[in-house]
Amino acid sequence: TQLLEQSPQFLSIQEGENLTVYCNSSSVFSSLQWYRQEPGEGPVLLVTVVTGGEVKKLKRLTFQFGDARKDSSLHITAAQPGDTGLYLCAGAPWYGGSQGNLIFGKGTKLSVKP
Amino acid sequence: EAQVTQNPRYLITVTGKKLTVTCSQNMNHEYMSWYRQDPGLGLRQIYYSMNVEVTDKGDVPEGYKVSRKEKRNFPLILESPSPNQTSLYFCASSLLAGGPGDTQYFGPGTRLTVL
């Protein structure tokens, strides 16, 4: 069974601080996605990374895909209360190369206090 | 408005009483999928469908059935619900099954309680 381990599980920080969330696996993924989920809603896609070593930026969020395509990180600069939510990584296993069987990490619950 | 809809949003039922959770998307998406979300376990895929009449098991298919008779609908069927199926269920769809950057759109969720 392929697993995606996310860390930390919980993160509580003050507004303006920086943070990094990690998503690690022993398996190779053809692509990796990051989602954000707010209470009472479904996850919303933030970004997809595809190429090993790829870095993508979305305003204050920076996403990186590991060179070996087994891990990824999400870095938030100057966090704001609006960043509060559950962050999920999800990987498409290498063998399929498709989203047929998408595997999710357990999530990182972020709380940003004003 | 492009969206994935699920019904019902909340359901309390009893063990053994068959139920269906409907899922519909209006984006002409090929791919649809069902997940359950549980505290400490995260999102786990139940079943997915790459196209009409094509379905396959995800990681936790036991106790569930699905069908994909038409592109827009992908109902989740619990023939004999049990308390361990109490969970938050999400339906999702994407334009194509596979390919980088293929955005998956999630429905609002169905909170199911089986007594």
Side-chain angles (χ1 to χ4, degrees):
Chain A
T1 303
Q2 293 170 296
L3 293 173
L4 274 169
E5 303 282 347
Q6 272 189 252
S7 62
Q9 207 174 344
F10 300 96
L11 194 53
S12 181
I13 61 173
Q14 292 295 131
E15 182 176 1
E17 292 183 13
N18 301 332
L19 67 109
T20 302
V21 177
Y22 300 93
C23 181
N24 296 303
S25 177
S26 58
S27 303
V28 176
F29 292 92
S30 61
S31 65
L32 205 138
Q33 299 179 322
W34 285 91
Y35 292 80
R36 182 166 147 237
Q37 183 179 15
E38 301 197 29
E41 298 181 10
V44 176
L45 181 69
L46 296 173
V47 77
T48 300
V49 285
V50 178
T51 307
E54 182 178 3
V55 177
K56 278 192 176 178
K57 291 193 175 184
L58 187 67
K59 297 183 181 177
R60 294 176 294 101
L61 278 61
T62 302
F63 305 86
Q64 186 164 8
F65 200 13
D67 291 340
R69 310 167 76 104
K70 294 182 179 181
D71 57 86
S72 180
S73 63
L74 157 61
H75 182 79
I76 300 179
T77 303
Q80 299 176 2
D83 295 326
T84 293
L86 180 67
Y87 289 82
L88 298 160
C89 64
W94 178 258
Y95 64 81
S98 76
Q99 288 185 5
N101 188 15
L102 198 62
I103 296 167
F104 278 81
K106 293 181 181 179
T108 295
K109 195 168 186 179
L110 172 65
S111 174
V112 182
K113 298 177 182 178
Chain B
E1 180 190 353
Q3 59 184 354
V4 178
T5 56
Q6 295 178 226
N7 282 293
R9 293 289 313 278
Y10 303 91
L11 179 60
I12 300 174
T13 189
V14 295
T15 299
K17 186 176 181 182
K18 181 180 177 180
L19 67 94
T20 299
V21 183
T22 64
C23 174
S24 182
Q25 49 91 6
N26 62 1
M27 296 170 279
N28 202 37
H29 284 173
E30 300 283 345
Y31 174 90
M32 297 185 75
S33 180
W34 275 104
Y35 298 88
R36 60 179 289 176
Q37 188 173 35
D38 302 288
L41 296 177
L43 268 169
R44 294 178 294 167
Q45 194 170 39
I46 303 171
Y47 269 95
Y48 61 93
S49 170
M50 308 276 267
N51 209 330
V52 175
E53 301 292 0
V54 179
T55 63
D56 208 345
K57 296 177 181 179
D59 293 319
V60 289
E62 295 78 19
Y64 304 95
K65 284 175 59 177
V66 293
S67 68
R68 187 91 182 276
K69 295 179 181 176
E70 48 189 342
K71 186 183 274 192
R72 65 182 293 125
N73 296 322
F74 190 43
L76 180 69
I77 302 157
L78 284 72
E79 294 271 2
S80 183
S82 62
N84 64 12
Q85 292 179 299
T86 292
S87 186
L88 180 59
Y89 291 86
F90 286 102
C91 179
S93 73
S94 63
L95 182 60
L96 298 170
D102 199 12
T103 302
Q104 219 173 162
Y105 296 87
F106 282 80
T110 295
R111 186 165 290 282
L112 172 66
T113 301
V114 184
L115 302 173

